[in-house]
């Protein structure tokens, strides 16, 4: 079944969304990054995606890639990632998040041992970006789109079509990695990823508090200066900027989903000055909190009573 991807995370920034079912562990999503970014998160499942319109800045681990229409990507298990528009205008992704057992079966199977294990057990292989114009990338994009369409449209016996297309994808990725020169393990990037998971967990569990950079740094046993460097290397923003964005995202959810007074929304999201909250919210959303609430309830093309 096709879904819009609404990412929610726990205090360690692990995604809470269940992808598919226990019997058929795959989720099929369409993301319109023009409407909302994909926030930083990670999951145990593998993810494959294709840019179908516009361009996107996809960050996987410590690398950010500017992907354009037709480019595809693969994200390994347990790797932090996020996405945002690469330019003004529509930006759409087709993505699938699937558990390795859907393709690999039991850990003793030849599928798991010869194809999945080499893919998932390489700590240096956090990401794989395939450009539309590069030789051999067409079949990868075709496999992703075939699996996505079968999952979205659910024709008769679609589960076989989804699994077959994802199996083709894993085989193609396996061959691509086999041809690629061995990459050295970036120990700093792996260390930064673990530190960022801890610090993002701190921010998302304590955003309503008067949180300082020192507090965030302490959650990963770092100095404030190293916290700043780690955030800039990995997230591309300061922890203070990221904290503000989390607070504004939470405020938008409360404004759209509750009748809570604006002052209370501000307080619950860590803003102790309503005027500052209103200015900051308007700068990011181009609407005041009250106007945003009204727009979210009337929807596009409707008229407020």
């Amino acid at each position: 079944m096709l879904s819009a991807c609404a990412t929610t995370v726990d205090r360690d920034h692990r995604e809470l969304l269940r992808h598919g079912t226990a019997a058929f562990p795959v989720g099929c999503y369409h993301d319109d990054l023009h409407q909302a970014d994909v926030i930083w998160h990670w999951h145990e499942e593998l993810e494959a995606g294709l840019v179908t319109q516009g361009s996107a800045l996809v960050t996987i681990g410590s690398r950010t890639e500017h992907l354009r229409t037709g480019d595809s990507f693969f994200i390994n298990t347990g790797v932090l990632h996020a996405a945002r528009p690469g330019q003004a205008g529509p930006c759409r992704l087709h993505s699938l998040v699937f558990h390795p057992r859907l393709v690999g079966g039991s850990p003793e199977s030849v599928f798991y041992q010869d194809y999945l294990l080499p893919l998932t057990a390489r700590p240096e292989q956090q990401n794989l970006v395939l450009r539309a114009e590069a030789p051999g990338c067409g079949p990868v994009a075709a496999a992703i789109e075939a699996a996505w369409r079968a999952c979205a449209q659910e024709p008769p016996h679609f589960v076989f079509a989804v699994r077959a297309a994802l199996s083709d994808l894993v085989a193609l990725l396996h061959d691509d990695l086999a041809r690629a020169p061995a990459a050295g393990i970036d120990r700093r990037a792996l260390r930064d990823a673990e530190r960022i998971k801890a610090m993002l967990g701190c921010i998302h569990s304590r955003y309503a508090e008067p949180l300082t950079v020192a507090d965030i740094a302490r959650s990963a046993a770092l100095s404030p200066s190293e916290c700043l460097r780690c955030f800039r290397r990995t997230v591309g923003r300061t922890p203070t900027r990221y904290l503000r964005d989390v607070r504004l995202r939470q405020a938008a959810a409360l404004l759209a989903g509750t009748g809570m007074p604006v002052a209370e929304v501000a307080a619950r999201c860590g803003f102790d000055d309503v005027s500052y909250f209103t200015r900051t919210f308007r700068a990011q959303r181009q609407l005041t909190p009250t106007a945003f609430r009204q727009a979210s309830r009337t929807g596009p093309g409707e008229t407020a009573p």
Side-chain angles (χ1 to χ4, degrees):
M1 179 181 295
L2 178 63
S3 303
C5 190
T7 304
T8 56
V9 297
D10 66 12
R11 70 181 309 277
D12 295 319
H13 237 59
R14 179 176 177 176
E15 190 174 34
L16 295 174
L17 181 64
R18 182 174 182 176
H19 303 285
T21 65
F24 190 56
V26 57
C28 173
Y29 305 103
H30 62 96
D31 291 297
D32 184 352
L33 300 184
H34 183 66
Q35 298 297 321
D37 296 354
V38 175
I39 66 171
W40 281 91
H41 67 287
W42 62 278
H43 40 67
E44 292 180 352
E45 295 86 353
L46 305 172
E47 181 170 351
L50 177 69
V51 180
T52 60
Q53 185 180 14
S55 70
L57 292 170
V58 179
T59 303
I60 309 170
S62 60
R63 289 177 54 190
T64 297
E65 299 281 354
H66 192 171
L67 305 187
R68 294 172 174 80
T69 302
D71 291 345
S72 52
F73 60 88
F74 165 78
I75 302 170
N76 218 327
T77 176
V79 177
L80 276 165
H81 54 283
R84 63 188 190 276
Q87 61 186 35
C91 177
R92 300 180 187 275
L93 305 179
H94 287 175
S95 61
L96 297 113
V97 182
F98 61 100
H99 198 282
R101 73 171 181 273
L102 180 65
V103 175
S106 72
E108 296 79 23
S109 73
V110 65
F111 308 106
Y112 186 87
Q113 290 291 326
D114 290 356
Y115 291 90
L116 263 301
L117 194 58
L119 199 62
T120 60
R122 292 176 60 170
E124 77 278 14
Q125 189 55 59
Q126 294 188 347
N127 62 77
L128 189 62
V129 170
L130 301 108
R131 304 292 178 181
E133 68 276 8
C137 291
V140 171
I144 294 171
E145 186 66 6
W148 189 89
R149 289 195 176 278
C151 201
Q153 297 170 2
E154 296 190 1
H157 316 302
F158 76 97
V159 294
F160 289 104
V162 173
R163 187 174 65 171
L166 290 177
S167 295
D168 288 343
L169 172 65
V170 168
L172 290 165
L173 294 176
H174 172 273
D175 290 347
D176 188 87
L177 290 177
R179 289 191 298 267
I185 298 175
D186 188 340
R187 300 289 182 185
R188 188 179 74 172
L190 293 177
R191 182 193 61 203
D192 281 353
E194 293 306 310
R195 290 171 167 177
I196 285 293
K197 285 180 182 179
M199 290 188 285
L200 293 183
C202 172
I203 289 172
H204 278 260
S205 62
R206 299 177 57 191
Y207 65 86
E209 303 174 19
L211 205 57
T212 66
V213 172
D215 295 327
I216 296 168
R218 199 174 298 115
S219 69
L222 297 177
S223 67
S225 58
E226 182 58 24
C227 165
L228 286 166
R229 286 191 291 268
C230 187
F231 256 82
R232 289 195 181 104
R233 285 194 300 261
T234 306
V235 180
R237 281 178 278 179
T238 65
T240 303
R241 170 73 181 275
Y242 187 86
L243 171 61
R244 189 202 68 182
D245 290 346
V246 168
R247 286 171 167 167
L248 290 173
R249 178 184 287 270
Q250 296 297 327
L254 288 175
L255 289 167
T258 74
M260 194 180 295
V262 170
E264 187 176 350
V265 169
R268 289 201 179 195
C269 294
F271 294 96
D272 56 8
D273 184 323
V274 179
S275 296
Y276 172 72
F277 166 64
T278 300
R279 289 196 307 272
T280 307
F281 191 93
R282 182 168 50 194
Q284 185 182 81
R285 300 274 180 166
Q286 289 76 56
L287 290 170
T288 65
T290 301
F292 175 84
R293 166 174 279 163
Q294 184 176 16
S296 67
R297 292 182 176 179
T298 58
E302 299 179 25
T303 302

